[in-house]
Amino acid sequence: MMEKKSELVAWTKNITDMENARLYVVPEVELDLIEPLISEVTECRKEQEKAGGHISLELAHRFVRVYEQSARLDILMGNIDYAIRFLLLAAEYCILEGDQGRSDCDTDLESRGTLREQFVEFCQEAISLAGKYGFKHVLKEKRSTLNRLYSLENKH
């Protein structure tokens, strides 16, 4: 008789409690989970480069989606500091140059409002997570969208 062998590669905890739900995975599985996100960011950056650095409305939506998905995955896996960074990156793509007139969103984002509304939502969530989990220092990082906004406010 053949002996069955199995290996635990992922498990969940508190899955019915959305705020405290956690996904635990072995490193190999984590790489499998994030690979499509990395590929999408790479494709978006290639498109941006082809367009001479310009980010179209469609491309901005793609960046927002992939960074939000990355944040959601990191929240689920308990990587709150990275989730905050991804939320701030998503927020940044909501307010990039050429944002004037961006009141119409594609059907994927339409129900969640405009990019400017999403900007506020992402920033509020990042601030909330930073406070709740003790990662306020992430909001002060040089790359932080909030840090840039505070700098702009102080210049005016």
Side-chain angles (χ1 to χ4, degrees), residues 88-89 91-92 95 119 123 143-150:
L88 294 174
L89 277 170
E92 191 171 313
I95 58 167
F119 168 80
C123 288
R143 177 94 172 100
S144 168
T145 298
L146 291 176
N147 200 28
R148 289 183 190 172
L149 290 174
Y150 293 140

Side-chain angles (χ1 to χ4, degrees), residues 35-49:
E35 191 279 325
L37 301 170
I38 294 169
S39 295
E40 176 64 4
V41 169
T42 301
E43 286 301 313
C44 289
R45 293 202 187 279
K46 284 180 185 177
E47 283 192 37
Q48 181 182 358
E49 193 175 298

Side-chain angles (χ1 to χ4, degrees), residues 120-136:
V120 171
E121 291 169 10
F122 292 142
C123 288
Q124 287 174 338
E125 185 174 1
I127 291 168
S128 174
L129 288 171
K132 181 177 180 179
Y133 292 98
F135 285 107
K136 288 186 179 181

Side-chain angles (χ1 to χ4, degrees), residues 31 53-54 56 69 72 80 105 116 137 140 144 152-153:
L31 289 173
H54 176 73
S56 67
Q69 289 170 350
R72 301 289 168 233
I80 304 302
C105 297
R116 285 206 179 272
H137 65 278
K140 297 176 185 175
S144 168
L152 286 173
E153 281 181 6

